[in-house]
Amino acid sequence: MPTLLEYRHRLRSVNQTKQITRAMKFVAAAQLRRAQSRVFAARPYAHEILEVLRSAAERVEQPIHPLLERRAERRLLVLVLTSDKGLCGAFNSNVARRAAAFFRAHKDRELKWIAVGRRGRDTLRKQGFRLEAEYVDIFRRLDFEHAREIARRVGGLYAEPQVDAVYAIYNEFKNVMTQKLIVEQVLPLAPEVVAGGAAGKLRDRRAEPDYIYEDPPQAIFDSMLPRYLESEIFRILLESGAGEQAARMTAMDAATNNAADLIERLTLEMNKARQAAITKEIIEVVSGAAATAA
Amino acid sequence: MPIESIALQVVTPDRRVVEESVEEVQVPGDQGYLGVLPGHAPLMTELGAGMLSYRKGATWYYLTALRGFAEVLADRVTVLAERAERAEEIDLGRAEKAAARARERLGRLQDPEVDWARAQAALERAMVRVQVAAKAGSALTEGHRPEI
């Protein structure tokens, strides 16, 4: 049985850990609120650009663009999104596991990897994946510029063409309690993006007479598609960022609770030990006294 | 029934900047400024870097709008800009300093350190900000029209 002193030390250390995890939980909660509102704030742009893109697509002769071209998926590029920092539960390991599964499922293809987030980069490197590009330390100050840079790289590789399809593995922010792990095809852009298949749901532009174009329609269409890709990647980054904070908050909450349980148990054990020590002392005194009396 | 107002929307990748019913819009197209009144013919243009202004009643409001697209329909104007700021969000002092800095960089013709395109873009941005911020001061004048 540990001594009283050992219990005290142990208790102090657990208590300190609890204070830290509690503080981290509150920080994560605050960051989560910010990240969440950014996810929502980015939606109007994504929605509008899709609408304008569709209506432009209807008006160009043939919506042809390198980013729309479909090829046999022989060479794949995979974007792996994780966090830069740890202590966020299974957030990163889930992604890593999925990336490994993706690798096994596509052994017959040529795979290229891009890591976004320090954690994923380290894991992929350790497992010997060759990284085409890596973006670390971007989540602390996530900006649309990051999305643009990644989109330029990804779009470039696709258009060149060095890869035939681009996938993203990331955590989507569902709500505070859950993140959904997603494997999503980023490129080629889904045909319904420009085909207007869901156009019925959009406001009816078909009734409108044709546009006056300040620029040739094809030129507008051409510069719009990359922007759509940028906004898609920005959305993925924001989702993952918000998911990270949610995961951290949940993990730190659990850690704080565990620490509290541990403190309770340790306190109880320590008191028992103290009792035992006191009892032993009394017995010694009493039996000592009895011995002298006799 | 004639169309009397325009539903103006200005969105950037990270937020919705304006969502209002307005009576007149001036859009900084890449080929020059476009004045839009309700009932305008459908039009699509790329944006340059410039000042976007709109009128509600007798009051004009000013924004910067940097690159992107604008779609004009009879009762609707949608502006998708890379960046947009309302005049009151602009820090005039900072914008002026940024403009001076960019000018200074552009002045160093021989310096290989200077990223020409970046400095030029920075100057353009800063100048639009200065222009819009300056406008905001006089914006509340009755019947004032933007001089472009």
Side-chain angles (χ1 to χ4, degrees):
Chain A
M1 200 185 219
T3 66
L4 221 51
L5 197 67
E6 279 165 351
Y7 271 120
R8 288 225 176 85
H9 285 164
R10 187 79 204 287
L11 263 172
R12 192 185 304 150
S13 118
V14 174
N15 222 329
Q16 278 164 354
T17 308
K18 185 182 149 199
Q19 277 170 12
I20 293 170
T21 56
R22 220 172 86 91
M24 285 184 75
K25 177 184 132 188
F26 286 122
V27 172
Q31 302 229 14
L32 172 62
R33 266 195 298 278
R34 246 190 79 217
Q36 211 174 337
S37 67
R38 290 189 75 186
V39 171
F40 293 137
R43 281 185 186 158
Y45 182 86
H47 178 78
E48 290 300 329
I49 198 163
L50 190 58
E51 279 207 13
V52 177
L53 185 60
R54 277 178 178 161
S55 87
E58 276 171 26
R59 288 167 169 86
V60 292
E61 302 254 304
Q62 267 187 315
I64 295 177
H65 189 277
L67 295 182
L68 292 169
E69 197 182 295
R70 292 188 166 268
R71 299 184 284 266
E73 294 186 12
R74 226 167 28 77
R75 299 160 300 175
L76 310 179
L77 176 68
V78 191
L79 280 165
V80 179
L81 282 96
T82 54
S83 64
D84 288 319
K85 291 180 189 158
L87 291 179
C88 44
F91 184 84
N92 292 319
S93 49
N94 283 345
V95 174
R97 206 173 312 129
R98 197 51 163 273
F102 191 94
F103 174 74
R104 282 194 300 275
H106 298 86
K107 269 201 150 71
D108 51 334
R109 322 280 171 85
E110 190 190 319
L111 295 176
K112 288 191 161 82
W113 303 83
I114 289 184
V116 183
R118 183 181 295 280
R119 291 274 146 170
R121 184 209 49 192
D122 293 351
T123 314
L124 290 180
R125 261 198 198 158
K126 218 177 292 162
Q127 293 178 350
F129 288 77
R130 221 177 49 83
L131 296 180
E132 191 67 28
E134 55 179 63
Y135 301 90
V136 298
D137 279 338
I138 66 170
F139 285 106
R140 212 158 45 87
R141 298 187 57 121
L142 190 59
D143 188 75
F144 192 70
E145 278 305 318
H146 295 123
R148 176 169 305 148
E149 203 181 312
I150 296 172
R152 203 176 294 138
R153 187 68 180 261
V154 168
L157 285 170
Y158 188 80
E160 214 168 299
Q162 283 207 31
V163 294
D164 305 312
V166 180
Y167 289 86
I169 302 178
Y170 68 102
N171 280 293
E172 189 188 52
F173 174 78
K174 286 294 261 190
N175 55 50
V176 179
M177 295 306 291
T178 37
Q179 299 90 44
K180 196 171 155 208
L181 192 60
I182 292 199
V183 181
E184 183 178 292
Q185 181 159 8
V186 180
L187 285 174
L189 295 173
E192 58 267 25
V193 169
V194 290
K201 272 186 264 166
L202 300 171
R203 54 185 194 243
D204 189 19
R205 289 170 197 255
R206 278 170 206 277
E208 305 278 353
D210 205 354
Y211 284 109
I212 304 168
Y213 281 100
E214 284 274 300
D215 307 272
Q218 190 68 50
I220 292 201
F221 187 70
D222 286 353
S223 65
M224 213 179 268
L225 272 180
R227 279 172 212 265
Y228 175 70
L229 178 63
E230 287 166 7
S231 96
E232 265 299 290
I233 288 187
F234 190 48
R235 182 186 65 78
I236 290 174
L237 290 176
L238 288 176
E239 293 273 3
S240 180
E244 173 194 341
Q245 296 305 340
R248 179 165 296 123
M249 195 180 98
T250 319
M252 289 302 111
D253 186 47
T256 309
N257 289 338
N258 288 344
D261 288 351
L262 196 56
I263 287 171
E264 202 177 316
R265 219 191 66 209
L266 282 174
T267 313
L268 197 70
E269 275 178 31
M270 186 181 75
N271 288 342
K272 271 189 195 156
R274 201 185 56 205
Q275 273 305 324
I278 292 170
T279 312
K280 208 174 115 203
E281 260 172 55
I282 291 174
I283 290 171
E284 274 163 12
V285 170
V286 170
S287 54
T292 17
Chain B
M1 208 181 79
I3 301 163
E4 277 161 4
S5 67
I6 305 169
L8 173 68
Q9 236 195 111
V10 181
V11 289
T12 63
D14 51 5
R15 65 187 177 133
R16 194 195 300 271
V17 186
V18 177
E19 186 177 29
E20 268 186 291
S21 173
V22 306
E23 280 123 53
E24 189 177 345
V25 187
Q26 301 242 2
V27 181
D30 67 338
Q31 327 240 327
Y33 280 85
L34 302 160
V36 179
L37 288 166
H40 196 285
L43 175 145
M44 175 102 67
T45 183
E46 288 204 43
L47 292 182
M51 178 162 74
L52 185 137
S53 43
Y54 62 92
R55 182 171 63 83
K56 273 182 86 160
T59 317
W60 280 91
Y61 298 87
Y62 303 89
L63 284 85
T64 60
L66 295 162
R67 272 169 297 274
F69 310 91
E71 185 199 40
V72 176
L73 297 172
D75 60 349
R76 200 188 304 269
V77 173
T78 306
V79 178
L80 293 156
E82 269 178 27
R83 276 161 197 252
E85 291 145 328
R86 289 174 164 280
E88 59 268 26
E89 291 165 356
I90 297 168
D91 182 338
L92 183 58
R94 232 182 100 182
E96 272 167 351
K97 270 192 210 117
R101 211 162 43 233
R103 264 198 208 94
E104 184 269 324
R105 288 181 80 78
L106 288 172
R108 301 208 311 257
L109 273 172
Q110 307 301 329
D111 192 340
E113 292 273 289
V114 175
D115 182 336
W116 196 256
R118 241 179 94 177
Q120 213 151 20
L123 178 61
E124 193 181 51
R125 249 189 340 259
M127 279 172 65
V128 173
R129 286 208 180 106
V130 170
Q131 188 193 0
V132 170
K135 270 285 178 218
S138 57
L140 299 170
T141 334
E142 283 277 301
H144 179 82
R145 290 187 64 87
E147 299 142 32
I148 293 161

